Amino acid sequence: MIPVLMGIAVAILVAVAVLHTRSSGTVAGLWGASGLAVAVWLRTSRGRRQDAMYALVLSISILMAELIVGNKPVLSLMFTAMNMLEIVTAVALARRFAPTMNISTLSGAVRFLISAALVAPIPAALISALALSQMGSHNVVEGFQTWWFGHALGIAVIGTLGLSLTPSTVARLCTPQKLIESAILLTAIVGFFYVGFSGQTKMGFVLLPLLLTVAVRLGVAATGVALLVITIMTVGSAIAGQGPYVRGLTLSEQVLMAQLLVLVGYMPTLLMASLLEERDRLADRARLGRERAEKASAAKSRLLANVAHEIKSPVAGIIGIGELWSGGGLGPTTPQQVEMAEMLVKTARQVEALSHDLLDVARAEAGSVKVVLRPTDVPGLLEDVRRACLLRAGPTAVQMDIVCESDGLIALADSQRLAQVLNNLTSNAVKYGAAGGRVILRASRADDNVKVEVIDFGPGLSVQKQGQLFEPFNRLGLERSTIEGHGVGLALAKRLIELQGGSIGVTSTPGEGATFWILIPTA
């Protein structure tokens, strides 16, 4: 059914073009049949059998139309063959260079316009112009230009319009608001056309703002409709001897100027419409992706919170049993049993610390961590952190010094959360930078912030590892090392510092240690 309807429509367009738009002898200045045929062929044909059926139906339709309008049989056959060459070439090139047939992307629109609209008509235009010149009725250059631009214009306008009219596009344009907006803009285009092209005034540029408005507000399909209306009016007025390109020009030259005006002056708005639709589509995809990521993150946070909560109670029981066992509360023990009990307690406490960190991470990502900002004495806090780390480190502790480079280092922070972050950074410096034998806790003033640095003299970090430091559960390849850790602390530290209005980072050179720094607003 579709090939038959297409054949009827193509025959009608051929007859109308031959009867009303001939501007260079027997060559028409505006040819919409090829554009319609290419669009329907590309949208509906599937497989070689359908391609052959389309070619047969189109050949019969074009030949019948050529004969009906009075062309001689030889001329009708030649025009039919050239039109079929053009249509088949356009379909083949479009399938090769614009296989997605998506005019709503800038790449798809450019590929289709160049391959199907600009390149495909060239062979048929050249052969037709040479054949007609041999008959003695045409100038080769004039015939070639008229055929090429007229057929390119038809494929560019009608072809892109046909490819852009998808069910979703039609549904979007058929809302009451869009219909009213489309009617107003198309009416304005027609009105401004007659104002801009009346008499000998050259004010065709007044249509550009309206076309741009259509492109921005209504998209590719509506821009194609507006270009079709402008093309018919522009080329039609030139054929009728009206418009700005009348004085001193032949009919063929008038039509050529009108064709170029549409192709060069107005067609780029279609590319802008494609670019805008592509941008909007990518923005929608990004928004949906962000929403999915936020939902996944919320689900992950709930899972972490539930797991951490469920771990705490049994681990507390294990720790209690282990301490009773090691202390002889469950009966006499051997030295080997005491050692095993102590190892059990130590491992259980590591699991307990992990569960607390996981719970804090989940709360921080869910936004349920509350911070109470108040003036906090940074040097005093550093001293508390130093003592706590020295007690945990035991006899293998490295040298730990505090350096305060100015007085009055009072930060506006949550002292408990800031101490938690500093404890984490300092314990990391002891674990990972112990080879340097020394850790420095330094506080200084930096503009309106208090800067706290935790400096170690260990192996340092590469630039690649620095970029991965604050990712949760990323231990930078140390998963199988003897150094304890779960890769949660730094991610949690970053979130806690940001909740206090500060920032955290690291500077390091491989082989020269690492410096973790925190900036907290001054109280």
Side-chain angles (χ1 to χ4, degrees):
M1 188 64 180
I2 292 178
V4 175
L5 294 176
M6 180 192 65
I8 295 173
V10 166
I12 293 172
L13 289 177
V14 169
V16 171
V18 172
L19 291 174
H20 299 288
T21 67
R22 281 177 171 173
S23 60
S24 178
T26 56
V27 179
L30 182 59
W31 193 264
S34 295
L36 177 63
V38 170
V40 176
W41 194 330
L42 290 173
R43 286 289 299 272
T44 59
S45 178
R46 298 292 183 272
R48 294 183 179 180
R49 180 175 297 181
Q50 284 187 312
D51 287 345
M53 180 175 60
Y54 273 96
L56 178 62
V57 171
L58 284 173
S59 299
I60 295 173
S61 300
I62 296 172
L63 180 59
M64 290 179 60
E66 293 283 354
L67 292 172
I68 289 172
V69 296
N71 282 335
K72 295 179 180 180
V74 175
L75 195 60
S76 298
L77 286 172
M78 190 271 291
F79 279 143
T80 300
M82 292 304 99
N83 277 286
M84 287 307 303
L85 172 63
E86 176 179 282
I87 293 169
V88 171
T89 303
V91 170
L93 290 177
R95 286 176 174 174
R96 172 64 179 84
F97 295 104
T100 61
M101 307 302 167
N102 188 0
I103 306 300
S104 297
T105 65
L106 181 61
S107 174
V110 170
R111 286 169 175 266
F112 177 79
L113 288 175
I114 292 176
S115 61
L118 293 182
V119 175
I122 292 177
L126 183 58
I127 296 173
S128 298
L130 291 173
L132 291 172
S133 68
Q134 292 298 317
M135 297 178 186
S137 58
H138 280 75
N139 177 274
V140 175
V141 175
E142 183 180 292
F144 173 78
Q145 290 176 338
T146 304
W147 180 297
W148 183 21
F149 292 141
H151 289 234
L153 197 55
I155 297 175
V157 175
I158 299 179
T160 53
L161 176 59
L163 292 178
S164 65
L165 288 176
T166 62
S168 60
T169 302
V170 174
R172 187 171 67 249
L173 291 175
C174 285
T175 60
Q177 179 182 353
K178 293 296 184 182
L179 287 175
I180 294 173
E181 195 170 355
S182 301
I184 292 173
L185 288 172
L186 286 177
T187 303
I189 286 174
V190 174
F192 274 97
F193 174 83
Y194 283 108
V195 172
F197 285 88
S198 61
Q200 300 301 314
T201 58
K202 298 181 180 180
M203 297 177 59
F205 62 88
V206 298
L207 296 180
L208 275 176
L210 290 173
L211 269 177
L212 291 174
T213 304
V214 173
V216 172
R217 296 289 304 167
L218 301 174
V220 175
T223 304
V225 174
L227 284 170
L228 178 60
V229 172
I230 290 175
T231 301
I232 294 173
M233 292 190 300
T234 303
V235 180
S237 65
I239 292 173
Q242 299 175 359
Y245 309 114
V246 175
R247 185 176 302 172
L249 297 178
T250 64
L251 177 61
S252 176
E253 291 171 338
Q254 295 172 30
V255 172
L256 177 62
M257 294 297 292
Q259 292 169 337
L260 288 174
L261 175 63
V262 177
L263 284 172
V264 179
Y266 298 143
M267 281 302 297
T269 57
L270 183 70
L271 300 181
M272 177 174 289
S274 300
L275 179 62
L276 292 174
E277 281 202 12
E278 185 176 14
R279 181 206 62 182
D280 293 342
R281 185 166 54 255
L282 292 175
D284 289 341
R285 289 180 183 175
R287 177 180 55 79
L288 292 174
R290 184 173 63 252
E291 290 176 356
R292 286 195 295 267
E294 289 173 353
K295 290 180 181 178
S297 178
K300 180 200 68 176
S301 298
R302 289 193 298 270
L303 176 63
L304 288 178
N306 291 335
V307 170
H309 182 74
E310 294 298 327
I311 288 175
K312 290 174 64 176
S313 297
V315 166
I318 294 172
I319 292 174
I321 294 174
E323 289 178 341
L324 284 174
W325 185 18
S326 64
L330 299 180
T333 56
T334 65
Q336 185 180 9
Q337 291 175 330
V338 171
E339 183 181 0
M340 293 176 63
E342 290 175 348
M343 289 179 60
L344 176 67
V345 172
K346 181 179 179 181
T347 303
R349 290 199 181 279
Q350 291 175 0
V351 176
E352 184 183 40
L354 174 61
S355 68
H356 284 295
D357 286 343
L358 288 175
L359 193 58
D360 282 339
V361 169
R363 289 172 176 170
E365 291 186 348
S368 59
V369 173
K370 304 299 182 183
V371 293
V372 180
L373 303 180
R374 55 173 65 115
T376 301
D377 179 27
V378 173
L381 192 63
L382 291 179
E383 180 61 30
D384 293 340
V385 170
R386 186 182 75 88
R387 291 178 179 176
C389 285
L390 288 176
L391 287 175
R392 287 197 303 269
T396 60
V398 297
Q399 179 183 347
M400 191 174 298
D401 300 321
I402 296 177
V403 178
C404 296
E405 297 185 347
S406 58
D407 297 329
L409 296 174
I410 308 297
L412 186 63
D414 185 311
S415 58
Q416 180 183 356
R417 295 300 185 181
L418 183 57
Q420 181 180 353
V421 172
L422 290 173
N423 271 311
N424 180 276
L425 296 180
T426 307
S427 62
N428 282 349
V430 172
K431 287 190 296 184
Y432 298 106
R438 186 185 179 200
V439 173
I440 298 176
L441 306 179
R442 182 165 63 194
S444 60
R445 190 179 299 277
D447 298 328
D448 294 331
N449 298 287
V450 175
K451 185 175 185 179
V452 181
E453 296 170 289
V454 179
I455 307 168
D456 68 64
F457 299 88
L461 297 163
S462 65
V463 176
Q464 181 181 3
K465 289 185 177 181
Q466 291 178 40
Q468 303 171 1
L469 266 178
F470 298 98
E471 296 176 1
F473 306 105
N474 189 342
R475 294 201 61 206
L476 308 180
L478 296 177
E479 291 82 359
R480 298 182 180 180
S481 68
T482 58
I483 301 176
E484 299 174 358
H486 304 283
V488 178
L490 288 179
L492 176 61
K494 185 175 187 295
R495 184 59 179 153
L496 292 177
I497 291 298
E498 289 173 347
L499 286 173
Q500 298 175 71
S503 57
I504 185 172
V506 62
T507 56
S508 178
T509 301
E512 299 181 10
T515 299
F516 285 83
W517 53 265
I518 296 172
L519 288 177
I520 294 291
T522 302

